[in-house]
């Protein structure tokens, strides 16, 4: 992209002109979405969004932040911001930009995360998100485009619509007695304790434009320096909905909007020390409430020692044998499905906790209907050596189907060469075998014989571990020991885990369990 811009610049220079200002390389060179006129934006002539995009792009460029910026675009006229900014982009649901930006910033604290929102998005449907993100002092930057109207949907009243201003939903002009007063977001945010920088600027004339430019840059500097939450409200023209030409629209900002929304730096605590700047982080053992010294050492060492203290005899040399990585996968995805009450979600949680104890990145995503028992339930478990991008699993490596409905519903989703563990003696007669191997295991009957059908999920867990070797049996025993409080159930679970493993070892046909994909080698 910058190559294109550079080429254009040298072309112009070659023609004898001096380039004094050119398009920021933070922008893509063309607006790809259009079939023609790709050099134009999708915004109406005179719209403030284009100007604000430019101010942001230039600030990103000047501060050298292009490679680390993630832009969160809203729903509204600026929904396509990701077509313009050549940075990381996420487009989110209406009003949710500060919430998504929070998640992104917290998981990638070294990135510059920008939440960009209109007034319908930020001050109506997204009021809760912005207030709480600001109140938590998230280290993000929010650019709030206040054009006093809903632009994209054709001019409904926004929370910022002026008293007396007509809109499609306030055709006689906004009346406080009926529609309430305009909301002053900058003042509201500045009233909270945590935000560091809050300013309102306007695109009314060149002088104010320069102030807006400075504010945009400053807000990003604050984030770059890790100081805290920065917020810039920008009074911006919407000539189309206001039914004005671009010049009149700017005049209207100066004459009508600014008196109602005064321009000011409402808060600037940039140089004050920020209290509790660091979000407290807990180690995995702290989170799991297990003693670090007792956590099984499985990643670095091949033996089953729980800690160096196990070698209590000081005279006995502690032999540490580095072992090969115990996990044969980069990412392993499991879907567990059945009726509510079968321990579907619990099995997912146990596997997730095991993954954590073995030093993996994990996620667990439950899905269940309103009925806690007998309704259908399923969960997604992801075990990974890398950060988990999305907890949603479309093609699991393993499906644990605890009932026939789940088998029929999810079998086709299993990745080619994957595995289905089906809780039954045999497959339904009319069931067409998909691309995956199916191991039938009568887990409920096995658990029943052990003293409790509640242990069905643990029988399946034993079978899963034995068949796929995705996690260590010793970790499973440790997790069950801490999670199950009832003594009698502990014993049943121990036996259920063994029974599941035995079933795979002794009853599943030899050959049926070996796969070239590394499940069982
Ligand atoms: C959940 C949801 N509710 C409503 C809408 C319809 N909708 C799309 S944009 C919009 C308002 C946009 O106005 P604003 O945030 O002020 O941005 P502008 O278009 O003026 O830039 C609405 C209500 C939607 N897309 N999703
Ligand atoms: S409707 Fe208004 S806010 Fe939307 S693109 Fe047109 S001028 Fe801009």
């Amino acid at each position: 992209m910058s190559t294109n811009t550079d080429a254009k610049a040298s072309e112009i220079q070659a023609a004898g002109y001096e380039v004094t200002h050119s398009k920021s390389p933070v922008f893509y060179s063309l607006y790809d979405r259009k079939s023609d006129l790709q050099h134009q934006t999708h915004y109406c002539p005179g719209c403030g969004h284009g100007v604000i995009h430019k101010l942001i792009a230039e600030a990103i460029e000047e501060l050298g932040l292009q490679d680390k910026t993630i832009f969160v675009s809203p729903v509204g006229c600026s929904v396509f911001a990701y077509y313009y900014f050549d940075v990381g982009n996420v487009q989110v649901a209406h009003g949710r930009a500060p919430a998504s930006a929070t998640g992104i910033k917290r998981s990638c604290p070294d990135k510059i995360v920008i939440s960009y929102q209109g007034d319908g998005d930020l001050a109506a449907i997204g009021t809760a998100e912005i207030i709480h993100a600001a109140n938590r002092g998230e280290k993000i930057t929010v650019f709030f485009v206040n054009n006093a109207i809903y632009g994209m949907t054709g001019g409904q009243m926004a929370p910022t619509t002026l008293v007396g201003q007509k809109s499609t939903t306030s055709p006689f002009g906004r009346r406080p007695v009926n529609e309430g007063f305009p909301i002053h977001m900058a003042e509201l945010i500045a009233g909270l304790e945590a935000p560091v920088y809050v300013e309102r600027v306007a695109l009314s004339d060149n002088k104010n434009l320069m102030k807006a430019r400075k504010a945009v840059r400053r807000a990003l500097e604050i984030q770059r320096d890790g100081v805290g939450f920065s917020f810039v409200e920008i009074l911006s023209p919407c000539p189309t909905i206001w039914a004005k030409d671009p010049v009149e629209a700017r005049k209207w900002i100066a004459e009508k909007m600014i008196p109602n929304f005064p321009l000011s730096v409402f808060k600037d605590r940039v140089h004050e020390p920020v209290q509790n700047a660091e979000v407290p982080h807990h180690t995995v053992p702290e989170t799991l409430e297990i003693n670090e010294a007792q956590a099984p050492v499985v990643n670095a060492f091949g033996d089953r020692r729980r800690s160096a203290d196990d070698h209590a005899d000081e005279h006995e040399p502690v032999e540490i044998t580095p072992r090969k990585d115990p996990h044969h996968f980069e990412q392993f995805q499991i879907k567990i499905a059945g009726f509510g009450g079968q321990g579907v979600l619990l099995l997912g949680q146990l596997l997730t906790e095991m993954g954590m104890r073995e030093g993996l990145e994990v996620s667990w995503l439950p899905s269940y209907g309103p009925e806690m028992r007998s309704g259908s339930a399923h969960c997604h478990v992801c075990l990974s050596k890398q950060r988990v991008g999305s907890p949603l699993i479309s093609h699991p490596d393993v499906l644990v189907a605890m009932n026939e409905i789940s088998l029929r519903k999810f079998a086709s989703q299993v990745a080619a060469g994957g595995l289905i563990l089906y809780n039954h003696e045999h497959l339904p007669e009319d069931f067409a075998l998909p691309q995956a191997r199916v191991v039938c295991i009568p887990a409920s009957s096995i658990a029943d014989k052990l003293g409790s059908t509640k242990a069905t999920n643990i029988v399946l867990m034993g079978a899963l571990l034995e068949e796929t070797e995705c996690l260590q049996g010793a970790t499973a025993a440790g997790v069950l020991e801490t999670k199950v409080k009832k003594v009698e159930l502990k014993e049943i679970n121990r036996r259920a885990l063994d029974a599941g493993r035995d079933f795979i070892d002794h009853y599943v046909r030899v050959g049926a369990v070996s796969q070239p994909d590394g499940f069982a080698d």
Side-chain angles (χ1 to χ4, degrees):
M1 199 238 52
S2 50
T3 328
N4 275 349
T5 316
D6 293 347
K8 191 94 188 150
S10 22
E11 216 177 274
I12 293 169
Q13 273 160 348
Y17 294 99
E18 189 193 342
V19 179
T20 53
H21 190 79
S22 60
K23 184 164 155 179
S24 168
V26 171
F27 284 132
Y28 292 115
S29 51
L30 294 174
Y31 176 55
D32 253 350
R33 198 181 153 83
K34 273 190 185 170
S35 52
D36 52 4
L37 301 177
Q38 291 191 336
H39 60 288
Q40 296 183 353
T41 72
H42 76 289
Y43 295 115
C44 311
C47 174
H49 279 302
V51 178
I52 298 166
H53 282 17
K54 194 171 149 189
L55 299 182
I56 296 173
E58 286 174 356
I60 291 173
E61 181 191 350
E62 284 163 21
L63 298 173
L65 301 174
Q66 183 168 11
D67 287 345
K68 38 183 346 202
T69 296
I70 301 176
F71 198 98
V72 184
S73 43
V75 168
C77 283
S78 50
V79 66
F80 293 144
Y82 54 90
Y83 277 103
Y84 299 111
F85 288 94
D86 186 5
V87 297
N89 283 286
V90 180
Q91 197 283 315
V92 300
H94 206 14
R96 308 294 177 255
S100 302
T102 297
I104 296 166
K105 182 71 181 182
R106 287 193 176 202
S107 51
C108 309
D110 56 324
K111 301 289 181 240
I112 300 292
V113 182
I114 296 174
S115 174
Y116 183 103
Q117 300 180 263
D119 41 15
D121 192 85
L122 181 142
I125 193 169
T127 324
E129 281 75 5
I130 187 60
I131 294 290
H132 291 289
N135 194 46
R136 291 190 304 268
E138 299 298 342
K139 292 178 181 167
I140 59 173
T141 301
V142 178
F143 294 120
F144 169 44
V145 183
N146 177 357
N147 57 15
I149 205 82
Y150 283 19
M152 184 189 189
T153 39
Q156 296 86 352
M157 193 193 84
T160 47
T161 297
L162 303 182
V163 171
Q165 185 183 342
K166 289 184 180 164
S167 72
T168 57
T169 48
S170 57
F172 307 110
R174 181 177 194 157
R175 294 158 301 164
V177 69
N178 202 44
E179 290 92 16
F181 289 94
I183 298 184
H184 294 76
M185 286 311 298
E187 288 86 335
L188 210 64
I189 302 284
L192 301 170
E193 197 126 344
V196 168
Y197 176 66
V198 182
E199 179 164 2
R200 182 184 290 121
V201 293
L203 305 184
S204 50
D205 52 44
N206 287 349
K207 196 168 151 215
N208 276 332
L209 205 100
M210 286 305 112
K211 284 190 181 166
R213 188 175 208 274
K214 230 172 104 194
V216 166
R217 186 184 155 116
R218 189 166 176 78
L220 290 176
E221 279 171 344
I222 284 163
Q223 184 174 176
R224 178 200 60 191
D225 298 342
V227 186
F229 184 85
S230 50
F231 181 94
V232 181
E233 176 173 341
I234 305 157
L235 306 184
S236 171
C238 173
T240 302
I241 304 291
W242 295 353
K244 300 185 188 312
D245 70 31
V247 176
E248 284 172 350
R250 284 180 183 245
K251 221 168 138 211
W252 195 77
I253 295 181
E255 289 173 2
K256 300 287 182 196
M257 283 188 85
I258 294 178
N260 279 284
F261 293 106
L263 307 187
S264 179
V265 178
F266 293 97
K267 198 160 193 177
D268 189 348
R269 288 177 39 218
V270 176
H271 301 297
E272 287 177 31
V274 180
Q275 298 296 318
N276 301 323
E278 289 308 315
V279 178
H281 284 288
H282 298 289
T283 62
V284 171
E286 277 168 357
T287 310
L288 299 178
E289 294 179 348
I290 54 174
N291 181 346
E292 199 146 1
Q294 295 301 312
V297 183
V298 292
N299 267 338
F301 312 112
D303 55 13
R304 302 304 320 152
R305 284 181 299 112
R306 299 189 69 77
S307 76
D309 292 346
D310 286 1
H311 298 270
D313 185 349
E314 286 172 14
H315 304 294
E316 189 188 321
V318 178
E319 198 181 305
I320 296 172
T321 329
R323 73 172 252 174
K324 68 177 168 97
D325 183 350
H327 303 112
H328 58 71
F329 50 82
E330 278 304 307
Q331 191 165 74
F332 198 73
Q333 300 185 321
I334 305 165
K335 188 162 194 164
I336 305 158
F339 289 130
Q342 280 188 306
V344 169
L345 304 186
L346 177 64
L347 175 52
Q349 285 172 332
L350 294 172
L351 292 169
T352 311
E353 181 150 344
M354 286 171 62
M356 280 197 275
R357 290 193 185 193
E358 294 192 9
L360 292 166
E361 297 283 330
V362 297
S363 65
W364 172 77
L365 183 72
S367 166
Y368 45 87
E371 313 89 350
M372 290 307 284
R373 301 192 73 81
S374 74
S376 68
H378 67 262
C379 66
H380 302 205
V381 172
C382 189
L383 309 169
S384 176
K385 287 182 187 158
Q386 309 293 332
R387 277 190 192 175
V388 178
S390 164
L392 195 73
I393 296 174
S394 313
H395 299 292
D397 298 298
V398 177
L399 168 68
V400 179
M402 296 185 72
N403 60 18
E404 189 180 329
I405 297 174
S406 310
L407 176 77
R408 292 189 185 278
K409 191 165 173 191
F410 297 120
S412 62
Q413 295 179 358
V414 176
L419 169 74
I420 299 173
L421 282 178
Y422 177 44
N423 174 27
H424 208 280
E425 283 84 5
H426 47 77
L427 284 171
E429 270 179 18
D430 62 338
F431 182 77
L433 273 182
Q435 65 300 339
R437 291 174 305 129
V438 185
V439 172
C440 296
I441 165 167
S444 297
S445 321
I446 294 172
D448 201 26
K449 283 183 196 138
L450 291 174
S452 172
T453 37
K454 280 189 183 160
T456 303
N457 54 355
I458 308 300
V459 174
L460 286 161
M461 179 159 132
L464 172 76
L465 300 183
E466 191 65 6
E467 176 64 1
T468 66
E469 298 182 346
C470 60
L471 295 162
Q472 313 284 315
T475 320
V479 168
L480 284 176
E481 194 61 32
T482 21
K483 285 286 152 194
V484 181
K485 304 289 177 213
K486 284 189 183 162
V487 182
E488 61 279 15
L489 264 182
K490 272 186 200 282
E491 183 49 30
I492 292 178
N493 278 339
R494 251 179 245 134
R495 285 162 51 208
L497 193 66
D498 287 345
R501 302 173 69 158
D502 285 352
F503 186 87
I504 295 294
D505 285 346
H506 298 118
Y507 297 101
V508 174
R509 227 169 5 99
V510 178
V513 296
S514 300
Q515 284 288 309
D517 57 10
F519 276 165
D521 46 28

